[in-house]
Amino acid sequence: MLQVRTIAISPYGIDSHGELSGIYYDLANHLLSKAGLESEHLIFPYSRIIHELKIGKTDLTIMFKYKELVDYVDYIYPLPSLKNVVIGRKGTDFSSVKQLEKRSIAYLRGAKFSDDVDNNPEIIKQKVSDFRQGLLMLKKGRVDAIIGPMAPIISAAKLLGLNKGFFGRPLIVSERTPWLQISKKSHDKISAKQLEVIFRQMMIHGELKEIQQKYQ
C-alpha cells in the first residue's frame, strides 16, 4: 500500500480531531483515485515527512523542493508558485529583509521559506509548531512578525478571529513552487510517468482551482 503524506498546514493539510482534509490532501486523493492506487494517507509536519522520504517510509507528497532531499526524491510535476511573506501587525511594515535584523519572527519548525532570512543570523527565528501558534505570539507581542505563504497565514488568522485589518503590509521574501514528488525508493511501487500524465491533466482541467474554492 502506497504511503502518502500531506503537510500539516491549513488549508493544505487539515487534521480536525482525526477528520483529514485540505487542498493538497484532496488533490493527492483525487490523483490516487484516478491512478487506481490504494494508499494510507496521513497528515504530518514538514520535518517528519522529510525524514520519511529519506528512508523511503513515505512514497508520495506535495510540498516545496528542499536541498536536503535532492538525493532522495524525484520531482514529478509542479503546482503554481506561492509567494512567501513576512508580515507583522498593523503599523509595522517592512520594506526589506535588512529591516528584520534584531527583530523576532515566528518560523514554522522544519520549514524553509526564504534563503535570505534563513542565512541572516541577525534575524531572530522563533520556532513554532503551526501558524496558529505563531499568530498567537504575534498577537501577544512575543514576536514582531510571522513568515510563510499568505494563504495559510490568513487561514489560521480566521480561526483566531483576526481579520486582515490586524496585519501590516506583507514583505515578499521568496517565491517557491510546490511539487508532486516521490521517494527514489518508491519506483517499484509506483509509475512516475503515469502519475505525471494524470496529474498534468488534472492541473490543465482546473481541478486544483476547484479544490481551492472549497477552502476559501
mmCIF file of all heavy atoms in Angstrom, residues 115-152:
data_model
loop_
_atom_site.group_PDB
_atom_site.id
_atom_site.type_symbol
_atom_site.label_atom_id
_atom_site.label_comp_id
_atom_site.label_asym_id
_atom_site.label_seq_id
_atom_site.Cartn_x
_atom_site.Cartn_y
_atom_site.Cartn_z
ATOM 1 N N ASP A 115 15.801 31.877 1.715
ATOM 2 C CA ASP A 115 17.241 31.777 1.948
ATOM 3 C C ASP A 115 17.788 33.057 2.563
ATOM 4 O O ASP A 115 18.670 33.016 3.431
ATOM 5 C CB ASP A 115 17.974 31.481 0.633
ATOM 6 C CG ASP A 115 17.702 30.071 0.114
ATOM 7 O OD1 ASP A 115 17.289 29.210 0.919
ATOM 8 O OD2 ASP A 115 17.892 29.837 -1.095
ATOM 9 N N ASP A 116 17.278 34.201 2.114
ATOM 10 C CA ASP A 116 17.763 35.476 2.649
ATOM 11 C C ASP A 116 17.503 35.591 4.147
ATOM 12 O O ASP A 116 18.350 36.092 4.897
ATOM 13 C CB ASP A 116 17.091 36.650 1.923
ATOM 14 C CG ASP A 116 17.591 36.816 0.496
ATOM 15 O OD1 ASP A 116 18.667 36.271 0.183
ATOM 16 O OD2 ASP A 116 16.911 37.495 -0.295
ATOM 17 N N VAL A 117 16.331 35.130 4.577
ATOM 18 C CA VAL A 117 16.004 35.164 6.005
ATOM 19 C C VAL A 117 16.781 34.076 6.748
ATOM 20 O O VAL A 117 17.374 34.328 7.803
ATOM 21 C CB VAL A 117 14.486 35.002 6.221
ATOM 22 C CG1 VAL A 117 14.162 34.854 7.708
ATOM 23 C CG2 VAL A 117 13.733 36.183 5.632
ATOM 24 N N ASP A 118 16.792 32.869 6.183
ATOM 25 C CA ASP A 118 17.453 31.742 6.849
ATOM 26 C C ASP A 118 18.937 32.012 7.092
ATOM 27 O O ASP A 118 19.491 31.618 8.127
ATOM 28 C CB ASP A 118 17.323 30.466 5.999
ATOM 29 C CG ASP A 118 15.894 29.984 5.883
ATOM 30 O OD1 ASP A 118 15.047 30.467 6.661
ATOM 31 O OD2 ASP A 118 15.620 29.140 5.013
ATOM 32 N N ASN A 119 19.584 32.664 6.129
ATOM 33 C CA ASN A 119 21.033 32.841 6.191
ATOM 34 C C ASN A 119 21.460 34.133 6.883
ATOM 35 O O ASN A 119 22.649 34.464 6.893
ATOM 36 C CB ASN A 119 21.622 32.799 4.777
ATOM 37 C CG ASN A 119 21.414 31.447 4.107
ATOM 38 O OD1 ASN A 119 21.365 30.419 4.775
ATOM 39 N ND2 ASN A 119 21.255 31.441 2.794
ATOM 40 N N ASN A 120 20.518 34.861 7.447
ATOM 41 C CA ASN A 120 20.844 36.090 8.167
ATOM 42 C C ASN A 120 20.782 35.830 9.670
ATOM 43 O O ASN A 120 19.690 35.742 10.249
ATOM 44 C CB ASN A 120 19.872 37.205 7.781
ATOM 45 C CG ASN A 120 20.311 38.564 8.299
ATOM 46 O OD1 ASN A 120 20.902 38.667 9.375
ATOM 47 N ND2 ASN A 120 20.020 39.610 7.553
ATOM 48 N N PRO A 121 21.950 35.706 10.322
ATOM 49 C CA PRO A 121 21.951 35.385 11.757
ATOM 50 C C PRO A 121 21.439 36.517 12.633
ATOM 51 O O PRO A 121 21.172 36.309 13.830
ATOM 52 C CB PRO A 121 23.435 35.100 12.042
ATOM 53 C CG PRO A 121 24.178 35.882 11.010
ATOM 54 C CD PRO A 121 23.308 35.864 9.786
ATOM 55 N N GLU A 122 21.282 37.710 12.070
ATOM 56 C CA GLU A 122 20.808 38.857 12.853
ATOM 57 C C GLU A 122 19.289 38.842 13.025
ATOM 58 O O GLU A 122 18.748 39.601 13.823
ATOM 59 C CB GLU A 122 21.235 40.169 12.179
ATOM 60 C CG GLU A 122 22.737 40.366 12.093
ATOM 61 C CD GLU A 122 23.386 40.411 13.467
ATOM 62 O OE1 GLU A 122 22.862 41.111 14.350
ATOM 63 O OE2 GLU A 122 24.417 39.730 13.658
ATOM 64 N N ILE A 123 18.618 37.972 12.248
ATOM 65 C CA ILE A 123 17.159 37.847 12.381
ATOM 66 C C ILE A 123 16.860 36.726 13.371
ATOM 67 O O ILE A 123 17.348 35.602 13.218
ATOM 68 C CB ILE A 123 16.506 37.555 11.021
ATOM 69 C CG1 ILE A 123 16.817 38.674 10.019
ATOM 70 C CG2 ILE A 123 14.993 37.396 11.188
ATOM 71 C CD1 ILE A 123 16.362 38.374 8.602
ATOM 72 N N ILE A 124 16.082 37.028 14.387
ATOM 73 C CA ILE A 124 15.777 36.057 15.441
ATOM 74 C C ILE A 124 14.591 35.202 14.994
ATOM 75 O O ILE A 124 13.503 35.728 14.726
ATOM 76 C CB ILE A 124 15.447 36.773 16.765
ATOM 77 C CG1 ILE A 124 16.602 37.689 17.177
ATOM 78 C CG2 ILE A 124 15.140 35.761 17.865
ATOM 79 C CD1 ILE A 124 16.218 38.731 18.201
ATOM 80 N N LYS A 125 14.820 33.881 14.878
ATOM 81 C CA LYS A 125 13.752 32.981 14.440
ATOM 82 C C LYS A 125 13.189 32.225 15.647
ATOM 83 O O LYS A 125 13.906 31.474 16.302
ATOM 84 C CB LYS A 125 14.248 31.969 13.409
ATOM 85 C CG LYS A 125 14.659 32.599 12.060
ATOM 86 C CD LYS A 125 16.127 32.877 12.009
ATOM 87 C CE LYS A 125 16.580 33.329 10.634
ATOM 88 N NZ LYS A 125 17.994 33.765 10.628
ATOM 89 N N GLN A 126 11.932 32.453 15.926
ATOM 90 C CA GLN A 126 11.246 31.728 16.991
ATOM 91 C C GLN A 126 10.489 30.563 16.359
ATOM 92 O O GLN A 126 9.525 30.767 15.622
ATOM 93 C CB GLN A 126 10.269 32.659 17.725
ATOM 94 C CG GLN A 126 10.927 33.796 18.464
ATOM 95 C CD GLN A 126 11.505 33.354 19.800
ATOM 96 O OE1 GLN A 126 11.359 32.207 20.210
ATOM 97 N NE2 GLN A 126 12.174 34.267 20.488
ATOM 98 N N LYS A 127 10.941 29.350 16.620
ATOM 99 C CA LYS A 127 10.322 28.181 16.003
ATOM 100 C C LYS A 127 8.942 27.917 16.610
ATOM 101 O O LYS A 127 8.771 27.948 17.827
ATOM 102 C CB LYS A 127 11.209 26.946 16.176
ATOM 103 C CG LYS A 127 12.579 27.082 15.514
ATOM 104 C CD LYS A 127 12.471 27.243 14.009
ATOM 105 C CE LYS A 127 13.838 27.280 13.339
ATOM 106 N NZ LYS A 127 13.755 27.434 11.884
ATOM 107 N N VAL A 128 7.973 27.658 15.725
ATOM 108 C CA VAL A 128 6.610 27.367 16.167
ATOM 109 C C VAL A 128 6.132 26.087 15.500
ATOM 110 O O VAL A 128 6.619 25.694 14.438
ATOM 111 C CB VAL A 128 5.649 28.531 15.845
ATOM 112 C CG1 VAL A 128 6.036 29.775 16.640
ATOM 113 C CG2 VAL A 128 5.624 28.848 14.351
ATOM 114 N N SER A 129 5.155 25.442 16.118
ATOM 115 C CA SER A 129 4.661 24.157 15.594
ATOM 116 C C SER A 129 3.650 24.357 14.473
ATOM 117 O O SER A 129 3.479 23.486 13.626
ATOM 118 C CB SER A 129 4.036 23.331 16.720
ATOM 119 O OG SER A 129 2.993 24.056 17.352
ATOM 120 N N ASP A 130 2.961 25.519 14.461
ATOM 121 C CA ASP A 130 1.997 25.798 13.392
ATOM 122 C C ASP A 130 1.771 27.303 13.315
ATOM 123 O O ASP A 130 2.232 28.075 14.165
ATOM 124 C CB ASP A 130 0.682 25.037 13.600
ATOM 125 C CG ASP A 130 0.065 25.279 14.973
ATOM 126 O OD1 ASP A 130 0.171 26.413 15.499
ATOM 127 O OD2 ASP A 130 -0.546 24.346 15.526
ATOM 128 N N PHE A 131 1.037 27.736 12.282
ATOM 129 C CA PHE A 131 0.808 29.164 12.096
ATOM 130 C C PHE A 131 -0.092 29.740 13.191
ATOM 131 O O PHE A 131 0.016 30.917 13.537
ATOM 132 C CB PHE A 131 0.214 29.438 10.712
ATOM 133 C CG PHE A 131 1.213 29.283 9.603
ATOM 134 C CD1 PHE A 131 1.101 28.254 8.680
ATOM 135 C CD2 PHE A 131 2.281 30.150 9.493
ATOM 136 C CE1 PHE A 131 2.030 28.106 7.668
ATOM 137 C CE2 PHE A 131 3.218 30.013 8.484
ATOM 138 C CZ PHE A 131 3.089 28.993 7.568
ATOM 139 N N ARG A 132 -0.963 28.929 13.729
ATOM 140 C CA ARG A 132 -1.819 29.398 14.828
ATOM 141 C C ARG A 132 -0.973 29.834 16.013
ATOM 142 O O ARG A 132 -1.189 30.910 16.581
ATOM 143 C CB ARG A 132 -2.793 28.289 15.242
ATOM 144 C CG ARG A 132 -3.718 28.682 16.389
ATOM 145 C CD ARG A 132 -4.630 27.518 16.769
ATOM 146 N NE ARG A 132 -5.501 27.872 17.875
ATOM 147 C CZ ARG A 132 -5.146 27.828 19.154
ATOM 148 N NH1 ARG A 132 -3.922 27.428 19.487
ATOM 149 N NH2 ARG A 132 -6.006 28.177 20.107
ATOM 150 N N GLN A 133 0.003 29.006 16.385
ATOM 151 C CA GLN A 133 0.885 29.358 17.493
ATOM 152 C C GLN A 133 1.667 30.633 17.184
ATOM 153 O O GLN A 133 1.813 31.516 18.033
ATOM 154 C CB GLN A 133 1.855 28.208 17.784
ATOM 155 C CG GLN A 133 2.775 28.482 18.971
ATOM 156 C CD GLN A 133 3.837 27.401 19.157
ATOM 157 O OE1 GLN A 133 3.983 26.514 18.317
ATOM 158 N NE2 GLN A 133 4.571 27.481 20.239
ATOM 159 N N GLY A 134 2.153 30.739 15.937
ATOM 160 C CA GLY A 134 2.897 31.923 15.539
ATOM 161 C C GLY A 134 2.054 33.184 15.620
ATOM 162 O O GLY A 134 2.523 34.236 16.068
ATOM 163 N N LEU A 135 0.794 33.088 15.199
ATOM 164 C CA LEU A 135 -0.094 34.252 15.236
ATOM 165 C C LEU A 135 -0.471 34.641 16.663
ATOM 166 O O LEU A 135 -0.621 35.828 16.974
ATOM 167 C CB LEU A 135 -1.351 33.978 14.417
ATOM 168 C CG LEU A 135 -1.143 33.998 12.900
ATOM 169 C CD1 LEU A 135 -2.376 33.476 12.186
ATOM 170 C CD2 LEU A 135 -0.808 35.400 12.410
ATOM 171 N N LEU A 136 -0.622 33.660 17.526
ATOM 172 C CA LEU A 136 -0.889 33.972 18.926
ATOM 173 C C LEU A 136 0.292 34.722 19.539
ATOM 174 O O LEU A 136 0.107 35.673 20.311
ATOM 175 C CB LEU A 136 -1.163 32.686 19.721
ATOM 176 C CG LEU A 136 -2.535 32.041 19.508
ATOM 177 C CD1 LEU A 136 -2.611 30.699 20.205
ATOM 178 C CD2 LEU A 136 -3.641 32.968 20.033
ATOM 179 N N MET A 137 1.518 34.318 19.183
ATOM 180 C CA MET A 137 2.708 35.017 19.662
ATOM 181 C C MET A 137 2.757 36.437 19.102
ATOM 182 O O MET A 137 3.127 37.377 19.809
ATOM 183 C CB MET A 137 3.965 34.235 19.276
ATOM 184 C CG MET A 137 4.096 32.900 19.989
ATOM 185 S SD MET A 137 5.477 31.896 19.380
ATOM 186 C CE MET A 137 6.883 32.850 19.970
ATOM 187 N N LEU A 138 2.356 36.591 17.835
ATOM 188 C CA LEU A 138 2.324 37.917 17.225
ATOM 189 C C LEU A 138 1.282 38.794 17.917
ATOM 190 O O LEU A 138 1.525 39.974 18.207
ATOM 191 C CB LEU A 138 2.013 37.789 15.730
ATOM 192 C CG LEU A 138 1.960 39.086 14.917
ATOM 193 C CD1 LEU A 138 3.295 39.806 14.940
ATOM 194 C CD2 LEU A 138 1.538 38.792 13.471
ATOM 195 N N LYS A 139 0.132 38.229 18.198
ATOM 196 C CA LYS A 139 -0.942 38.969 18.853
ATOM 197 C C LYS A 139 -0.523 39.442 20.239
ATOM 198 O O LYS A 139 -0.864 40.569 20.657
ATOM 199 C CB LYS A 139 -2.193 38.075 18.958
ATOM 200 C CG LYS A 139 -3.403 38.761 19.559
ATOM 201 C CD LYS A 139 -4.577 37.796 19.615
ATOM 202 C CE LYS A 139 -5.791 38.476 20.261
ATOM 203 N NZ LYS A 139 -6.930 37.531 20.375
ATOM 204 N N LYS A 140 0.231 38.611 20.937
ATOM 205 C CA LYS A 140 0.666 38.942 22.306
ATOM 206 C C LYS A 140 1.938 39.784 22.332
ATOM 207 O O LYS A 140 2.403 40.161 23.406
ATOM 208 C CB LYS A 140 0.884 37.647 23.099
ATOM 209 C CG LYS A 140 -0.389 36.844 23.336
ATOM 210 C CD LYS A 140 -0.091 35.529 24.018
ATOM 211 C CE LYS A 140 -1.372 34.704 24.233
ATOM 212 N NZ LYS A 140 -1.077 33.369 24.837
ATOM 213 N N GLY A 141 2.514 40.058 21.145
ATOM 214 C CA GLY A 141 3.719 40.868 21.083
ATOM 215 C C GLY A 141 4.993 40.115 21.406
ATOM 216 O O GLY A 141 6.039 40.734 21.654
ATOM 217 N N ARG A 142 4.927 38.788 21.381
ATOM 218 C CA ARG A 142 6.122 37.989 21.688
ATOM 219 C C ARG A 142 7.029 37.838 20.472
ATOM 220 O O ARG A 142 8.181 37.445 20.602
ATOM 221 C CB ARG A 142 5.695 36.612 22.218
ATOM 222 C CG ARG A 142 5.014 36.700 23.585
ATOM 223 C CD ARG A 142 4.419 35.374 24.009
ATOM 224 N NE ARG A 142 5.416 34.308 24.016
ATOM 225 C CZ ARG A 142 5.104 33.008 24.100
ATOM 226 N NH1 ARG A 142 3.818 32.652 24.161
ATOM 227 N NH2 ARG A 142 6.045 32.095 24.101
ATOM 228 N N VAL A 143 6.507 38.095 19.279
ATOM 229 C CA VAL A 143 7.319 38.183 18.057
ATOM 230 C C VAL A 143 6.879 39.428 17.293
ATOM 231 O O VAL A 143 5.791 39.960 17.516
ATOM 232 C CB VAL A 143 7.180 36.924 17.159
ATOM 233 C CG1 VAL A 143 7.744 35.693 17.846
ATOM 234 C CG2 VAL A 143 5.730 36.710 16.732
ATOM 235 N N ASP A 144 7.746 39.880 16.398
ATOM 236 C CA ASP A 144 7.447 41.078 15.616
ATOM 237 C C ASP A 144 6.737 40.773 14.307
ATOM 238 O O ASP A 144 6.115 41.659 13.707
ATOM 239 C CB ASP A 144 8.751 41.824 15.309
ATOM 240 C CG ASP A 144 9.464 42.274 16.573
ATOM 241 O OD1 ASP A 144 8.869 43.050 17.338
ATOM 242 O OD2 ASP A 144 10.613 41.835 16.799
ATOM 243 N N ALA A 145 6.856 39.531 13.842
ATOM 244 C CA ALA A 145 6.279 39.174 12.546
ATOM 245 C C ALA A 145 6.184 37.662 12.440
ATOM 246 O O ALA A 145 6.667 36.915 13.301
ATOM 247 C CB ALA A 145 7.125 39.731 11.412
ATOM 248 N N ILE A 146 5.555 37.222 11.353
ATOM 249 C CA ILE A 146 5.456 35.790 11.050
ATOM 250 C C ILE A 146 5.811 35.604 9.582
ATOM 251 O O ILE A 146 5.590 36.503 8.768
ATOM 252 C CB ILE A 146 4.033 35.265 11.372
ATOM 253 C CG1 ILE A 146 3.951 33.747 11.225
ATOM 254 C CG2 ILE A 146 2.975 35.955 10.504
ATOM 255 C CD1 ILE A 146 2.654 33.161 11.785
ATOM 256 N N ILE A 147 6.372 34.446 9.249
ATOM 257 C CA ILE A 147 6.789 34.172 7.875
ATOM 258 C C ILE A 147 6.063 32.952 7.335
ATOM 259 O O ILE A 147 5.777 32.001 8.076
ATOM 260 C CB ILE A 147 8.322 33.961 7.798
ATOM 261 C CG1 ILE A 147 8.793 33.856 6.343
ATOM 262 C CG2 ILE A 147 8.770 32.758 8.612
ATOM 263 C CD1 ILE A 147 10.302 33.833 6.180
ATOM 264 N N GLY A 148 5.761 32.979 6.036
ATOM 265 C CA GLY A 148 5.144 31.827 5.393
ATOM 266 C C GLY A 148 4.313 32.256 4.192
ATOM 267 O O GLY A 148 4.210 33.451 3.889
ATOM 268 N N PRO A 149 3.689 31.304 3.489
ATOM 269 C CA PRO A 149 2.767 31.656 2.406
ATOM 270 C C PRO A 149 1.546 32.382 2.975
ATOM 271 O O PRO A 149 1.095 32.083 4.080
ATOM 272 C CB PRO A 149 2.384 30.303 1.800
ATOM 273 C CG PRO A 149 3.402 29.330 2.311
ATOM 274 C CD PRO A 149 3.837 29.847 3.633
ATOM 275 N N MET A 150 1.015 33.313 2.215
ATOM 276 C CA MET A 150 -0.080 34.149 2.715
ATOM 277 C C MET A 150 -1.331 33.329 3.019
ATOM 278 O O MET A 150 -2.011 33.569 4.027
ATOM 279 C CB MET A 150 -0.400 35.236 1.694
ATOM 280 C CG MET A 150 -1.136 36.420 2.280
ATOM 281 S SD MET A 150 -0.084 37.372 3.384
ATOM 282 C CE MET A 150 -1.285 38.345 4.255
ATOM 283 N N ALA A 151 -1.659 32.361 2.171
ATOM 284 C CA ALA A 151 -2.919 31.615 2.337
ATOM 285 C C ALA A 151 -3.031 30.922 3.693
ATOM 286 O O ALA A 151 -4.046 31.068 4.381
ATOM 287 C CB ALA A 151 -3.101 30.616 1.195
ATOM 288 N N PRO A 152 -2.015 30.149 4.129
ATOM 289 C CA PRO A 152 -2.151 29.515 5.441
ATOM 290 C C PRO A 152 -2.106 30.493 6.606
ATOM 291 O O PRO A 152 -2.706 30.235 7.653
ATOM 292 C CB PRO A 152 -0.982 28.525 5.491
ATOM 293 C CG PRO A 152 -0.020 29.002 4.483
ATOM 294 C CD PRO A 152 -0.837 29.646 3.414
#
